């Protein structure tokens, strides 16, 4: 039973890391719009379009898109 719980918690942690990957990249790069990327990631990230948009924006330079 505890091994199953560890597996479930590990999968959930991995899912959270993947979900917040655009935000982690933006803050790690010191992106000028990192807080906006966080907002888009949290509010629209579950739609996959919002997640990919936040990912592309976080990888792109500060002045490339906006």
């Amino acid at each position: 039973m505890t091994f199953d719980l560890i597996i479930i918690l590990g999968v959930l942690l991995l899912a959270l890391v993947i979900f917040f990957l655009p935000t982690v990249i933006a803050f790690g790069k010191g992106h000028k719009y990192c807080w906006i990327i966080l907002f888009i990631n949290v509010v629209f990230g579950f739609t996959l379009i919002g997640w990919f948009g936040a990912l592309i924006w976080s990888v792109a330079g500060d002045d490339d898109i906006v």
Side-chain angles (χ1 to χ4, degrees):
M1 173 112 174
T2 55
F3 183 71
D4 293 338
L5 181 62
I6 292 171
I7 296 295
I8 291 171
L9 289 176
V11 169
L12 287 175
L13 180 64
L14 181 63
L16 277 175
V17 167
I18 291 171
F19 182 77
F20 285 108
L21 185 64
T23 302
V24 170
I25 291 171
F27 277 94
K29 287 179 59 175
H31 202 285
K32 185 166 61 171
Y33 299 106
C34 59
W35 290 104
I36 297 171
I37 292 171
L38 171 66
F39 177 77
I40 291 170
N41 196 169
V42 169
V43 175
F44 301 110
F46 67 92
T47 64
L48 285 181
I49 293 173
W51 188 85
F52 276 112
L55 180 67
I56 291 169
W57 196 8
S58 68
V59 172
D62 291 342
D63 297 327
D64 290 345
I65 296 176
V66 174

